[in-house]
Amino acid sequence: MSSGRCAACRYLRRRCTQDCILSPYFPSNNPQRFASVHRIYGASNVTKLLQRLPTHLRSEAADSLYFEAQCRLEDPVYGCVGLIFLLQQQIHSAESQLIKTQAEIAVMKSQTQHPQTQPFRAISGSNNLLLQQSDNDANLIFSNQVSSGFI
Amino acid sequence: MGGNSPCASCKLLRRRCAKDCIFAPYFPSDDPHKFAIVHKVFGASNVSKTLQELPLQQRADAVSSLVYEANARIRDPVYGCVGAISYLQNQVSQLQMQLAVAQAEIVCIQMQQDPIMVAANPQMVLGQADDDDQAFLLQNQCFNFANNNSSSSAYVNIHESLKRESIFGDIVS
């Protein structure tokens, strides 16, 4: 173990010391992991970032850096932010569906309770009210994208 | 407009801002913070390489996403954007569960209203394979649902979930 260099030191062609900060998180058996992180962040930035963290959090930080680096390599324009957008769209769509379904349930229940009254097409009416409110609230999420200069 | 003032990047890097500076269109001098955070997280050299590899029309979006990621990483040095992604994935799962519950309730109500029709044609209400087992399971679900029905508590208030803070708010530790 004393002679093996970590993936970072191998990549950087330097001696891997015993207190190498990168070696626990970039083992020699996965050179691609450090290569990705180095390409996006650079060794110096990764080192500084890990140094600022307590030891017990560094592993998670290294994992998240690797994840984001991979996302950026696969999508150089949006990186992992593309994934965030996709998830937000999925949430918006699921919420709309849920609201519609809940409205449908409300109508069906009222039909069950008052079978003699003709059910007007309340679905679209209640849907619009609920959707309007949910759209206004959902815009809070999207407008943050705008205010952060993303859109 | 006489002499060109250096862009935020060249100001920070203390160099002459050339006419073809790759950063200048995206890091104007009136917003030094924007480049500062991107430089802190990614490094000017890496950002420059990333932009150079992209066609012109995609660079603005790339810069915006880099700024977003850099902001996320500064606010949450451990998880960065991954914290937000985790949170959103949880939200999607929860919503899908709520939707499944709501759809099951619809089926139950329909069964109560017209059990014969539903039992004969489970695929009409489920939109799935017309399996006998499916109809049986459905009936059992409806019994359980009816017995445990505190329907308001079965659904998380969707408006509460929409009122949660933005992504930045959630990733601030």
Side-chain angles (χ1 to χ4, degrees), chain A residues 1-150:
Chain A
M1 184 147 154
S2 56
S3 58
R5 288 187 289 177
C6 70
C9 293
R10 259 189 209 235
Y11 189 96
L12 299 169
R13 295 181 190 179
R14 66 185 190 193
R15 196 169 66 90
C16 190
T17 59
Q18 275 203 329
D19 58 352
C20 172
I21 192 173
L22 300 174
S23 69
Y25 318 109
F26 299 100
S28 57
N29 61 358
N30 192 354
Q32 180 262 339
R33 179 175 157 103
F34 183 75
S36 303
V37 168
H38 180 263
R39 169 65 185 84
I40 300 300
Y41 296 99
S44 160
N45 287 332
V46 174
T47 302
K48 276 188 237 171
L49 194 134
L50 292 179
Q51 273 172 347
R52 280 186 228 128
L53 293 173
T55 316
H56 67 279
L57 292 175
R58 288 177 186 172
S59 177
E60 304 269 350
D63 287 345
S64 72
L65 286 168
Y66 175 54
F67 179 87
E68 286 190 34
Q70 282 295 104
C71 287
R72 181 61 63 174
L73 289 169
E74 285 170 24
D75 182 353
V77 182
Y78 296 107
C80 67
V81 181
L83 185 54
I84 289 173
F85 250 9
L86 186 66
L87 287 167
Q88 284 186 322
Q89 283 173 350
Q90 285 181 353
I91 286 168
H92 190 63
S93 163
E95 282 170 343
S96 299
Q97 253 191 303
L98 186 58
I99 286 169
K100 279 186 199 163
T101 309
Q102 287 177 327
E104 214 176 305
I105 289 169
V107 167
M108 290 170 81
K109 280 187 171 172
S110 73
Q111 280 179 333
T112 310
Q113 284 158 11
H114 307 285
Q116 58 273 23
T117 54
Q118 276 302 312
F120 57 96
R121 293 301 293 166
I123 291 175
S124 56
S126 60
N127 239 8
N128 283 339
L129 283 173
L130 290 168
L131 280 175
Q132 271 173 20
Q133 184 171 351
S134 83
D135 276 348
N136 285 337
D137 291 333
N139 281 334
L140 283 174
I141 298 174
F142 288 105
S143 68
N144 280 312
Q145 304 294 327
V146 174
S147 64
S148 69
F150 187 76

